[in-house]
Amino acid sequence: MGTNLKLDERIGVELELSQAQAEGTWFDADQYVNKWPARRHDHFLIPAGTIHCSGRNSMVLEISATPYIFTFKLWDWGRPGLDGKPRPIHLEHGLANIQWDRNTDWVKENLINRVCPTARGPGWTEERTGLHALEFIETRRHWFEGPVIHENRGSVHVLNLVEGQAAVVESPDHSFEPFVVHYAETFIVPAAVEKYSLRPLLPKTKCATIRASVRIDS
């Protein structure tokens, strides 16, 4: 993520990308785009217009506000389709939507691990991980070794267990039967459920979830 290109350099990038697609030649992405190291539980924000991709040996949990809109592909790493030709990309649309002012410093300041603590209680902590001014999805990460209460506040919650073998989702007022979620599984709690709790399935273990919901406060 992040570019540091002047106008003449942008034109050169467009020409190189077009040539790579038309002729099957190699495009040296490293020459133009930053690479940031990724570690377990890092959180990268990608507002619309940001160049991005994941590297090898990465397991990515993507939380998207736009599942019905395309991600425009500029370069496909030379991979051919079944016909032996470069696979289709969206070069014209992609170049028209890049936010070129998102340079190295801006990306580092705004998009990488903007994590801040928001609350804590007995055996649990909460962090805000992904609210950016350009996004309407609020993401909270909860670390817990015992029960932690979540309040829907009129919004559907989408969660993923990102740490720990398994956790139990329960209703404080017994409005639904308890159910177990396992590592990397995603589950949805409807807005009609006003409160629910999570706890590790196994004693003396630590779990974590990422919770996504529509932003309702600052």
Side-chain angles (χ1 to χ4, degrees):
M1 301 190 297
T3 57
N4 294 297
L5 302 180
K6 299 177 182 178
L7 180 58
D8 58 336
E9 294 174 319
R10 298 178 197 172
I11 295 173
V13 171
E14 294 181 25
L15 292 175
E16 287 190 40
L17 284 167
S18 298
Q19 183 178 15
Q21 180 67 12
E23 302 176 9
T25 55
W26 186 256
F27 174 74
D28 187 7
D30 291 349
Q31 182 179 349
Y32 302 107
V33 182
N34 291 311
K35 290 197 299 186
W36 302 91
R39 297 163 299 180
R40 186 179 179 90
H41 296 305
D42 279 350
H43 197 151
F44 299 91
L45 312 185
I46 309 174
T50 306
I51 292 178
H52 63 281
C53 74
S54 60
R56 68 178 62 184
N57 300 324
S58 297
M59 180 178 180
V60 178
L61 172 62
E62 181 177 356
I63 301 171
S64 178
T66 56
Y68 56 93
I69 298 177
F70 291 107
T71 294
F72 297 125
K73 187 176 293 183
L74 302 175
W75 167 239
D76 199 24
W77 311 102
R79 292 178 292 190
L82 295 177
D83 58 1
K85 299 178 180 179
R87 300 197 300 183
I89 60 173
H90 321 99
L91 189 56
E92 182 178 353
H93 291 302
L95 291 171
N97 283 277
I98 292 175
Q99 299 297 308
W100 294 98
D101 58 341
R102 292 178 188 168
N103 58 23
T104 301
D105 291 337
W106 190 89
V107 168
K108 185 176 181 180
E109 177 66 25
N110 290 274
L111 302 185
I112 299 176
N113 283 328
R114 307 307 298 167
V115 178
C116 63
T118 55
R120 66 174 55 249
W124 64 269
T125 59
E126 179 189 85
E127 302 167 328
R128 173 182 285 172
T129 65
L131 177 62
H132 187 271
L134 298 174
E135 300 171 318
F136 66 86
I137 294 295
E138 174 83 64
T139 55
R140 301 288 178 106
R141 181 165 55 206
H142 289 81
W143 300 92
F144 54 99
E145 299 176 31
V148 56
I149 296 291
H150 294 250
E151 296 188 18
N152 280 48
R153 301 177 65 185
S155 175
V156 61
H157 284 181
V158 180
L159 302 95
N160 186 282
L161 187 67
V162 296
E163 183 71 32
Q165 181 177 335
V168 182
V169 186
E170 298 174 302
S171 169
D173 61 3
H174 308 290
S175 61
F176 61 84
E177 292 294 322
F179 63 93
V180 175
V181 294
H182 299 89
Y183 176 71
E185 288 185 342
T186 297
F187 58 103
I188 298 174
V189 180
V193 177
E194 296 181 357
K195 289 185 179 181
Y196 60 98
S197 69
L198 282 160
R199 61 174 173 84
L201 176 64
L202 303 176
K204 298 181 180 180
T205 60
K206 189 174 186 178
C207 292
T209 57
I210 285 285
R211 188 188 75 202
S213 59
V214 175
R215 179 184 178 184
I216 58 175
D217 56 13
S218 58

